[in-house]
């Protein structure tokens, strides 16, 4: 299978750009044989590498990524590793109680796995902070969403705390929010630091990671898979495909994956005392199509990040004109929340590719002999990608568990309608949803 479409994410990877430069991982320039090949070094790929290295001590594992580690979507997200149901297609993020209990168990298994990596691989503390998150409400409708979500969480026996406008101001330094709902179990990542640190700590004589090494062809030859890059190749009997929406570029789940982009802007670093409130917080919007906002601070200063807008891009790239419109929305969202910071410049603006399925399920399982897919994370790849990578490794090594059985029992991603209808439908739905989000955007 010849691959003709490769990752394209607009703008710089801001979280990587604010870190000190690191030594590069090598580019693949030789012909190698390994026990395992993992394609993709995001949450799914690195979780699979970690799980395999634990389960198969002694096996040789090769990981290939088209980009630099931390520069793909795994290093471009807003860093919310959310333990609770967070269905972006639902009005209040929740589903049925039983389904939500299962989701929580899966999300927490992924968080525990990440927590174990933090401890066992001695990752830097700033990469992973379990500080919870707030669902911020800027409108009466948002307040109702939060109240309903709190009732739903209560029925699930999950702790949450409703916050009033004064408490929101004391935390965020902004008078924009009428209220919020705090939930304690979310981990806030510095996503690029998390990804690069895992990659560095996993690399050994058994796990070899090559970056800027896009797989251009993947074929089954005899009982081996044969992956070719521009300057080298890897042969392996078993492959884990951890390329998110690019599963389609490898010929799998055709017309079943929805390619969406979402976007972030990050301010320059400014003095901590220019904004009141607490030093580090993360806020998701009461309406799923509203704005996510984060503050990150250290003794040297503060940055604010806003993420909003989703666009449907079946060709997996975004036009510059569209990006300009999105940056204007970001500026408006910043100004509305932090009018006193109008002189603080935006330093980085970027977008990243997400994969959704119509029925909100992953593209998971053995898709060909010895080829395992851990793809399509429905916009929540910090947890769902981690879990997908862990479970793909378990499936490939024959390790049974309840979580794996649950994943295997999920339906396959549903088929999309013909392309013009899918495009019109998805774009209209997103625009209408964003309009309805009103001041939550
Ligand atoms: C702005 C933004 C904010 C987000 N915020 C959040 C958030 O707060 N919380 C959350 O849970 N999720 C968030 N997401 C979504 C999250 O980033 C993704 O769901 C997650 O990165 C998916 O993980 P993954 O490992 O499955 O795939 P990816 O991170 O997409 O990794 C796949 C890798 O495969 C590589 N690849 C593709 N094709 C090839 C090839 N031919 N050869 C070699 N390598 C290849 C890519 O380069 C890439 O590195 C956000 C995304 C964006 C863009």
């Amino acid at each position: 299978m010849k691959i003709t479409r490769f990752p394209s994410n607009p703008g710089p990877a801001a979280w990587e750009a604010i870190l000190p430069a690191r030594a590069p991982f090598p580019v693949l320039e030789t012909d190698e044989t390994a026990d395992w090949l993992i394609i993709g070094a995001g949450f799914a790929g690195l979780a699979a590498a970690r799980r395999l290295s634990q389960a198969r001590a002694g096996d040789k594992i090769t990981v290939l990524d088209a980009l630099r580690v931390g520069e793909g979507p795994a290093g471009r997200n807003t860093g919310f590793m959310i333990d609770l149901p967070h269905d972006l297609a639902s009005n209040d993020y929740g589903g049925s109680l039983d389904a939500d209990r299962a989701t929580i168990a899966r999300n927490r298994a992924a968080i525990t796995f990440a927590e174990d990596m933090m401890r066992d691989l001695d990752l830097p503390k700033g990469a992973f902070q379990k500080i919870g998150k707030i669902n911020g409400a800027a409108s009466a409708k948002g307040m109702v969403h939060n109240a309903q979500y709190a009732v739903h969480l209560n029925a699930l026996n999950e702790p949450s705390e409703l916050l009033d406008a004064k408490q929101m101001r004391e935390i965020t330094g902004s008078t924009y929010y009428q209220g919020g709902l705090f939930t304690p179990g979310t981990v806030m990542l510095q996503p690029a630091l998390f990804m690069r640190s895992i990659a560095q700590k996993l690399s050994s004589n058994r796990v070899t990671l090559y970056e800027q090494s896009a797989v251009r062809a993947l074929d089954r030859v005899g009982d081996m898979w044969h992956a070719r890059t521009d300057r080298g190749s890897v042969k392996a009997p078993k492959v884990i495909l951890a390329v998110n929406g690019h599963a389609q570029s490898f010929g799998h789940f055709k017309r079943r994956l929805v390619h969406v982009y979402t976007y972030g802007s990050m301010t320059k670093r400014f003095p901590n005392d220019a904004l009141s409130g607490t030093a580090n917080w993360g806020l998701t919007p009461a309406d799923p199509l509203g704005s996510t906002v984060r503050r990150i601070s250290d003794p040297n200063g503060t940055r604010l990040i806003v993420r909003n807008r989703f666009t449907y891009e079946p060709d997996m790239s975004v036009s510059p004109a569209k990006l300009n419109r999105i940056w204007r929305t970001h500026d408006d969202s910043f100004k509305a929340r932090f009018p006193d910071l109008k002189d603080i410049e935006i330093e980085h603006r970027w977008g990243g590719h997400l994969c959704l399925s119509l029925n909100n399920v992953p593209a998971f399982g053995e898709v060909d002999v010895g080829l395992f897919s851990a793809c399509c994370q429905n916009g929540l790849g910090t947890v769902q990608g981690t879990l997908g990578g862990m479970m793909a490794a378990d499936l490939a090594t024959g390790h049974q568990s309840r979580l794996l059985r649950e994943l295997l029992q999920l339906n396959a991603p549903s088929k999309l309608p013909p392309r013009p209808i899918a495009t019109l439908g998805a774009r209209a739905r997103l625009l209408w949803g964003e309009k309805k989000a009103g001041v939550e955007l």
Side-chain angles (χ1 to χ4, degrees):
M1 170 82 199
K2 206 164 167 238
I3 289 105
T4 53
R5 195 169 266 166
F6 299 95
S8 158
N9 299 286
W15 294 97
E16 177 68 15
I18 63 173
L19 290 174
R22 63 165 169 84
F25 293 95
V27 173
L28 180 71
E29 294 184 321
T30 49
D31 297 321
E32 297 198 354
T33 302
D35 298 298
W36 300 91
L37 169 63
I38 298 171
I39 307 177
F43 288 96
L46 293 188
R50 168 72 176 155
R51 190 82 156 186
L52 285 175
S53 72
Q54 292 172 311
R56 291 295 175 95
D59 279 7
K60 183 171 162 23
I61 302 163
T62 299
V63 185
L64 298 176
D65 200 290
L67 304 173
R68 281 168 49 90
V69 172
E71 294 197 344
R76 286 174 175 258
N77 56 72
T78 329
F80 288 72
M81 202 170 195
I82 302 175
D83 58 334
L84 296 172
H86 196 81
D87 178 359
L88 296 174
S90 139
N91 282 338
D92 66 354
Y93 293 117
S96 75
L97 289 183
D98 281 348
D100 282 353
R101 281 194 190 99
T103 304
I104 293 169
R106 289 199 288 266
N107 292 351
R108 291 204 173 132
I111 291 176
T112 302
F113 185 79
E115 225 160 4
D116 290 348
M117 282 199 285
M118 281 296 294
R119 188 192 54 237
D120 298 346
L121 301 177
D122 195 22
L123 306 182
K125 299 256 175 307
F128 179 103
Q129 294 176 299
K130 201 171 200 171
I131 56 172
K133 74 163 178 82
I134 300 166
N135 222 32
S139 62
K141 202 169 83 189
M143 293 293 280
V144 172
H145 277 186
N146 268 353
Q148 287 168 344
Y149 192 36
V151 170
H152 188 67
L153 291 177
N154 198 28
L156 288 164
N157 256 335
E158 291 294 337
S160 68
E161 186 191 353
L162 280 164
L163 307 172
D164 63 20
K166 179 166 168 283
Q167 289 168 302
M168 287 299 284
R169 193 180 64 242
E170 284 164 1
I171 295 168
T172 63
S174 166
T175 54
Y176 194 71
Y177 294 99
Q178 297 186 13
L181 182 70
F182 174 75
T183 49
T186 292
V187 171
M188 300 303 301
L189 301 174
Q190 200 302 15
L193 179 60
F194 186 67
M195 299 321 296
R196 72 151 71 165
S197 308
I198 296 173
Q200 284 162 339
K201 291 292 176 79
L202 276 184
S203 294
S204 63
N205 55 352
R206 293 192 297 113
V207 181
T208 316
L209 193 148
Y210 297 97
E211 57 184 6
Q212 301 186 88
S213 303
V215 173
R216 299 197 173 268
L218 181 67
D219 296 295
R220 181 106 181 146
V221 183
D223 54 1
M224 296 288 261
W225 286 97
H226 194 166
R228 268 163 293 160
T229 66
D230 277 339
R231 293 193 242 163
S233 70
V234 181
K235 282 184 188 153
K238 289 192 178 171
V239 176
I240 293 181
L241 199 55
V243 293
N244 209 10
H246 281 281
Q248 182 185 310
S249 313
F250 283 77
H252 300 284
F253 302 100
K254 276 190 179 161
R255 297 217 12 241
R256 290 176 187 271
L257 305 182
V258 181
H259 303 287
V260 165
Y261 279 66
T262 188
Y263 306 87
S265 285
M266 182 187 277
T267 65
K268 277 191 161 162
R269 183 185 268 160
F270 59 88
N272 285 327
D273 60 8
L275 179 64
S276 63
T278 56
N280 284 291
W281 46 262
L283 187 151
T284 45
D287 186 298
L289 291 182
S291 296
T292 297
V293 188
R294 251 187 102 167
R295 176 179 184 169
I296 51 169
S297 306
D298 64 22
N300 299 320
T302 285
R303 291 177 192 267
L304 288 165
I305 298 109
V306 69
R307 185 221 49 84
N308 62 39
R309 303 296 312 273
F310 289 98
T311 64
Y312 179 61
E313 310 294 348
D315 290 326
M316 305 187 200
S317 67
V318 191
S319 75
K322 196 177 278 184
L323 289 173
N324 283 333
R325 290 199 292 278
I326 287 159
W327 308 149
R328 284 202 293 277
T329 312
H330 283 186
D331 290 346
D332 291 345
S333 302
F334 262 124
K335 265 187 229 136
R337 285 161 177 79
F338 305 102
D340 296 344
L341 299 179
K342 60 181 183 312
D343 295 331
I344 308 282
E345 281 171 44
I346 299 294
E347 186 169 7
H348 299 293
R349 297 185 189 274
W350 72 96
H353 180 185
L354 306 179
C355 176
L356 313 180
S357 61
L358 284 183
N359 48 343
N360 198 24
V361 293
F364 180 81
E366 187 168 5
V367 291
D368 200 340
V369 183
L371 179 63
F372 301 87
S373 170
C375 297
C376 196
Q377 321 304 355
N378 288 289
L380 299 168
T382 59
V383 282
Q384 294 187 6
T386 302
L387 188 84
M390 293 159 61
M391 293 298 112
D394 283 6
L395 181 64
T397 53
H399 179 82
Q400 301 290 326
S401 67
R402 185 180 49 79
L403 287 176
L404 176 58
R405 277 193 297 280
E406 270 179 31
L407 270 194
L408 290 172
Q409 276 161 11
L410 294 175
N411 291 329
S414 311
K415 221 169 187 162
L416 305 183
R419 183 161 162 166
I421 298 175
T423 304
L424 275 175
R427 290 194 169 143
R429 200 168 156 200
L430 283 171
L431 282 175
W432 172 237
E434 286 178 344
K435 203 172 156 58
K436 266 196 351 194
V439 293
E440 306 296 348
L441 186 62

